[in-house]
Amino acid sequence: MYKKLLLVLVMAISLSACKKNGKKTGCDTNQICTAEAVAFGIAFTDNQGKPTIVEEYSLKNLRTGKPVTRTPMGAYTDVVAGFVWIANDGIKGEFSSEGDDVEITAKSKATGQVKKVIVKVSGGCNCHVAKLSGPDTVKFD
């Protein structure tokens, strides 16, 4: 039930973002996009490769110097230990079409260790957000 509600919410945000961003940023308003909703994140593990909880994390767009908006899916971060949502179509306007470096900082709840990684994220006039480069998993020592 909640998964369906979440999917509908993400799709609604995505479709409205296409129209709003197309007019506001000068994007091609005739662009045809699929109705799929795209979202992605990053997993954190302990030194054994097992998921580990991060108690603090932040995402910063290095092009703008601003924090990345916590996505509506961010409320579900703790459902899967160590998984952090980075972006979805609802916030694609925060990223350039060519892609921006996003610095992710996370602190392990178990060890207190802090890790920083860079993930390149595109959005802007593209139909969907995309991870262009960067790790899928980060391992704490």
Side-chain angles (χ1 to χ4, degrees):
M1 174 71 177
Y2 291 109
K3 288 182 182 179
K4 288 181 183 178
L5 179 61
L6 179 62
L7 180 60
V8 169
L9 175 66
V10 170
M11 287 177 59
I13 291 170
S14 299
L15 293 175
S16 67
C18 284
K19 290 180 184 175
K20 185 173 21 173
N21 287 340
K23 291 178 184 175
K24 190 166 92 176
T25 64
C27 297
D28 180 7
T29 56
N30 295 321
Q31 182 178 17
I32 298 173
C33 297
T34 62
E36 71 180 325
V38 176
F40 61 90
I42 191 167
F44 290 88
T45 66
D46 63 15
N47 60 2
Q48 302 296 311
K50 296 178 183 172
T52 189
I53 296 172
V54 292
E55 61 183 352
E56 297 174 23
Y57 72 93
S58 64
L59 296 94
K60 180 179 178 182
N61 185 323
L62 296 180
R63 176 182 58 87
T64 64
K66 296 180 181 178
V68 173
T69 301
R70 187 169 177 166
T71 69
M73 299 171 84
Y76 299 97
T77 298
D78 296 331
V79 173
V80 177
F83 187 80
V84 173
W85 290 104
I86 297 173
N88 66 29
D89 288 342
I91 62 167
K92 74 181 184 90
E94 293 189 29
F95 310 105
S96 68
S97 299
E98 299 77 28
D100 297 335
D101 287 335
V102 175
E103 180 182 71
I104 302 164
T105 305
K107 181 179 178 182
S108 168
K109 184 174 183 177
T111 66
Q113 181 183 18
V114 175
K115 285 278 191 171
K116 288 186 180 191
V117 295
I118 304 291
V119 174
K120 189 164 193 162
V121 180
S122 66
C125 290
N126 298 322
C127 288
H128 305 287
V129 293
K131 185 177 94 171
L132 303 178
S133 65
D136 293 324
T137 304
V138 175
K139 188 176 186 178
F140 285 105
D141 300 331

